């Protein structure tokens, strides 16, 4: 799936919600996110994370809660692989220097 299609599927899922019409599309939305996260293309993986934010904002727990472990694994792997959270430019910040948790 292409990135914009994944975002579109998630937006439609968020709009339809868990109504009778929307409930039958929940497996499609979940599959689109899973497939996009497993894609070798960064744009598809990015679109999956963006699409998931629409589902979280719409409070569709039935869709996003089962996907949270997959999302966390994806984001954690990307952070570990990159070693930084900023871009690729000179302003990179090593992860150990980020104030992630206040002491």
């Amino acid at each position: 799936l292409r990135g914009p299609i994944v975002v579109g599927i998630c937006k439609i899922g968020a709009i339809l919600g868990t109504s009778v019409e929307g409930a039958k599309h929940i497996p499609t939305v979940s599959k689109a996110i899973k497939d996009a996260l497993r894609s070798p293309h960064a744009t598809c993986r990015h679109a999956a994370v963006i699409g998931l934010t629409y589902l979280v904002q719409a409070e569709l727990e039935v869709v996003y809660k089962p996907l949270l472990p997959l999302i966390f694994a994806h984001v954690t792997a990307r952070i570990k692989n990159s070693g930084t959270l900023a871009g690729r430019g000179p302003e990179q910040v090593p992860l150990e220097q980020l104030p992630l948790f206040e002491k």
Side-chain angles (χ1 to χ4, degrees), residues 9-101:
I9 288 171
C10 292
K11 280 185 178 181
I12 291 169
I15 291 168
L16 293 175
T18 55
S19 66
V20 174
E21 186 66 28
K24 64 183 176 183
H25 298 291
I26 289 173
T28 305
V29 173
S30 295
K31 184 174 179 352
I33 292 174
K34 287 178 186 175
D35 290 348
L37 282 174
R38 293 184 179 120
S39 172
H41 303 289
T43 54
C44 285
R45 294 190 306 264
H46 182 72
V49 175
I50 291 173
L52 190 68
T53 60
Y54 288 110
L55 300 172
V56 170
Q57 287 175 344
E59 299 178 359
L60 292 178
E61 292 181 12
V62 69
V63 178
Y64 74 78
K65 273 204 173 176
L67 296 172
L68 286 180
L70 186 62
I71 292 288
F72 289 138
H74 168 74
V75 171
T76 303
R78 296 297 165 241
I79 290 172
K80 285 181 181 176
N81 288 341
S82 71
T84 63
L85 202 53
R88 296 266 183 230
E91 70 283 346
Q92 290 181 341
V93 178
L95 288 177
E96 54 274 357
Q97 292 180 5
L98 289 175
L100 296 176
F101 301 100

